[in-house]
Amino acid sequence: MDLGANFAAKLEPFLLMAKSAKGAAAAKLIHDATSAPGVYVFSELLAMPSVQELGKSEQHEPYLSLLQLFAYKTYQDYVQHQDKLPALNPAQIMKLKHLSIVSLAAERRILPYSDLLRVLDMPTVRELEDLVIDAIYLDVVRGKLDQKEAQFEVEYTMGRDLEPGKLESILAALQNWTETTSAVLATLDVKIESIAAQTAAKKASNEEYEKVLYTTLKDVSEKAKEKGGVKRGSNRGDGGPSAEKDGVPMDVDDMPEPTKGKNRKASQEAVPKQRKRNKI
């Protein structure tokens, strides 16, 4: 269920009673509606003819102003004009402070404790945190209390009634938001196209580089094979066997013959003489 989706249902009994309430009864109905748990929207009640007629009576006009206060104003507005408004009971004060948090959250997402303490006239941080926790449980706001940073991080809030004359400013803000969003999306599209073009160019460059590298390696490999084949297959002009000495090619016929005699004697001396056995 969406945040605050049941608030309209909580107001329904008061709308039924307002159809027949007049004068003092309508004034009491406003007092009861602003005190009732779970009632946080008042535009439909405010639009009832019997409620609007209270503005014509000097005695009951403050109750119409009270209903307007709960519809779209804040606790600070009550403090500034409380001499012209009926006195509030504790339930009404707490509800008006909850609605004030909603109004503050519409302006910024991070609400420092220092600002909340001042605007809501809370004596201690502990009481302020209890007030915010109550608002969260009542589905008025959603968020997280950050005690380390001393702030309330707002995630979502219910919507408040729209004050007369504010529709134009809301539409202007929405129009400005739409134009800003469109400009950001256009910038992102250009950036995405640029990145795609750069990626394609880089890919083509890499493919060309790999192609040239492959061709070069293939040529080097073929030349190496050709050189190796010539060296292994080299022969004398007359077809006879050949050999190398100290890296210089030479024919087998040119190789020196072993020296006779001297080498033979050396080979005989290399064989150890056998000891003669003693004859018995």
Side-chain angles (χ1 to χ4, degrees):
M1 182 179 292
D2 294 336
L3 191 64
N6 62 337
F7 291 157
K10 296 289 185 67
L11 183 65
E12 190 65 30
F14 299 98
L15 296 177
L16 296 174
M17 290 185 288
K19 293 180 179 179
S20 58
K22 300 290 183 181
K28 185 178 185 306
L29 184 64
I30 291 174
H31 180 274
D32 293 342
T34 54
S35 303
V39 180
Y40 282 91
V41 292
F42 305 94
S43 59
E44 292 183 78
L45 181 60
L46 190 59
M48 297 294 291
S50 60
V51 172
Q52 288 296 318
E53 288 179 2
L54 295 177
K56 301 176 182 179
S57 170
E58 184 178 353
Q59 178 182 0
H60 299 128
E61 193 276 334
Y63 286 92
L64 178 61
S65 298
L66 178 66
L67 186 58
Q68 293 171 340
L69 175 73
F70 276 84
Y72 35 73
K73 295 186 181 294
T74 65
Y75 181 77
Q76 284 296 309
D77 294 315
Y78 168 72
V79 172
Q80 294 175 7
H81 303 96
Q82 59 182 332
D83 55 333
K84 300 177 182 179
L85 296 169
L88 300 183
N89 59 36
Q92 289 173 312
I93 292 176
M94 178 173 290
K95 181 182 293 188
L96 187 57
K97 289 183 177 182
H98 289 164
L99 292 170
S100 299
I101 295 174
V102 173
S103 295
L104 290 172
E107 299 174 358
R108 47 184 172 164
R109 194 179 70 85
I110 303 297
L111 302 177
Y113 281 6
S114 57
D115 292 349
L116 291 174
L117 289 169
R118 174 179 52 81
V119 172
L120 301 178
D121 194 21
M122 302 299 296
T124 64
V125 171
R126 176 60 183 274
E127 292 185 46
L128 172 63
E129 291 178 340
D130 289 342
L131 178 72
V132 174
I133 291 172
D134 288 339
I136 293 174
Y137 279 122
L138 290 170
D139 237 10
V140 176
V141 295
R142 288 177 187 165
K144 181 178 68 174
L145 289 170
D146 189 343
Q147 295 177 328
K148 182 179 179 180
E149 299 295 333
Q151 62 187 19
F152 176 48
E153 300 177 3
V154 181
E155 297 176 0
Y156 194 77
T157 71
M158 58 165 282
R160 292 200 67 182
D161 299 316
L162 186 61
E163 185 177 359
K166 295 291 186 179
L167 180 60
E168 290 74 12
S169 62
I170 296 294
L171 291 176
L174 290 174
Q175 181 64 29
N176 182 51
W177 177 82
T178 301
E179 293 174 355
T180 303
T181 304
S182 299
V184 171
L185 290 176
T187 303
L188 289 176
D189 288 340
V190 172
K191 190 67 175 178
I192 290 172
E193 292 177 359
S194 176
I195 293 174
Q198 292 177 5
T199 302
K202 185 176 181 180
K203 182 179 179 182
S205 177
N206 290 339
E207 291 177 351
E208 182 65 22
Y209 173 79
E210 291 176 357
K211 183 178 179 181
V212 173
L213 179 62
Y214 174 78
T215 303
T216 304
L217 292 177
K218 185 178 179 182
D219 293 342
V220 171
S221 177
E222 290 177 352
K223 291 179 180 179
K225 288 181 180 179
E226 292 176 358
K227 290 181 179 180
V230 171
K231 185 176 181 180
R232 288 192 298 271
S234 60
N235 296 323
R236 293 194 324 167
D238 56 0
S242 63
E244 290 184 0
K245 182 179 181 181
D246 298 329
V248 180
M250 59 183 294
D251 293 334
V252 175
D253 297 339
D254 299 331
M255 293 180 66
E257 294 181 359
T259 306
K260 297 180 180 181
K262 185 178 180 180
N263 291 338
R264 183 181 300 172
K265 185 178 181 179
S267 61
Q268 290 176 356
E269 292 177 357
V271 177
K273 296 181 179 180
Q274 296 181 354
R275 296 179 60 184
K276 295 181 180 181
R277 294 183 181 179
N278 295 328
K279 292 182 180 181
I280 302 175

